């Protein structure tokens, strides 16, 4: 993979992180200053991260996730289309990444907000899809 492709993907992933942090701040009624205090980082650093300018370490991302009381993976999942200017073209670029990583035709990564019952059903489908992928290898 060429450097410009990696850098482009990094920009997309930074945008995912920043959108998700802002979504969880809004859901919890918190301000950036609240997050900074809870995550033990400066407000200017939180501002950089939420403007997709910062490059947080894994340790810092864990601290932010803990402060927002969400699993780290929730900050890295593709936000729903329509969230803070997140659009289908950005989602499509991630799907192309899935194909490059070996996700076979007929399988697709998705992200969405669902009810608890729907999440239970999706977890069962997820396990089934993983089992099928293992048998194809």
């Amino acid at each position: 993979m060429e450097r410009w492709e990696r850098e482009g993907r990094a920009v997309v992933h930074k945008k995912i992180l920043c959108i998700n942090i802002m979504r969880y701040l809004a859901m919890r009624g918190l301000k950036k200053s609240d997050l900074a205090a809870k995550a033990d980082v400066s407000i200017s650093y939180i501002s950089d991260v939420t403007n997709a300018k910062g490059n947080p370490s894994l340790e810092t991302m864990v601290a932010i996730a803990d402060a927002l009381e969400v699993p780290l993976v929730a900050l890295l999942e593709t936000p729903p289309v329509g969230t803070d200017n997140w659009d289908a073209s950005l989602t499509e670029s991630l799907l192309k990444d899935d194909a490059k990583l070996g996700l076979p035709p007929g399988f697709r990564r998705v992200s969405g907000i669902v009810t608890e019952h729907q999440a239970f059903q999706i977890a069962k489908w997820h396990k089934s899809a993983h089992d099928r992928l293992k048998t194809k290898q």
Side-chain angles (χ1 to χ4, degrees), residues 109-135:
R109 177 178 56 177
V110 297
S111 176
I113 298 171
V114 296
T115 66
E116 285 187 37
H117 176 72
Q118 291 167 326
F120 172 77
Q121 184 62 49
I122 290 168
K124 288 174 36 179
W125 295 336
H126 178 78
K127 182 181 179 335
S128 173
H130 271 264
D131 292 344
R132 286 193 314 238
L133 285 171
K134 285 180 189 176
T135 61

Side-chain angles (χ1 to χ4, degrees), residues 25-113:
L25 282 172
M27 282 190 244
R28 283 156 178 66
L30 297 172
K31 298 177 185 174
K32 290 181 185 180
S33 58
D34 299 326
L35 177 59
K38 286 183 173 198
D40 197 28
V41 296
S42 71
I43 182 67
S44 63
Y45 190 74
I46 291 294
S47 188
D48 283 348
V49 171
T50 57
N51 287 307
K53 294 178 184 173
N55 193 16
S57 68
L58 182 58
E59 182 178 310
T60 301
M61 287 190 293
V62 168
I64 290 170
D66 288 348
L68 292 170
E69 299 177 359
V70 298
L72 175 59
V73 69
L75 297 180
L76 302 173
E77 290 177 330
T78 306
V81 171
T83 303
D84 191 27
N85 298 321
W86 183 263
D87 63 30
S89 67
L90 295 169
T91 300
E92 285 302 312
S93 72
L94 289 177
L95 292 174
K96 288 177 186 171
D97 287 348
D98 285 347
K100 287 179 188 174
L101 294 173
L103 195 58
F107 289 84
R108 184 171 176 187
R109 177 178 56 177
V110 297
S111 176
I113 298 171

Side-chain angles (χ1 to χ4, degrees), residues 15-24 74-77 79:
K15 186 169 183 177
I16 289 170
L17 178 65
C18 109
I19 289 170
N20 284 328
I21 290 171
M22 295 304 292
R23 283 187 329 123
Y24 286 108
L75 297 180
L76 302 173
E77 290 177 330

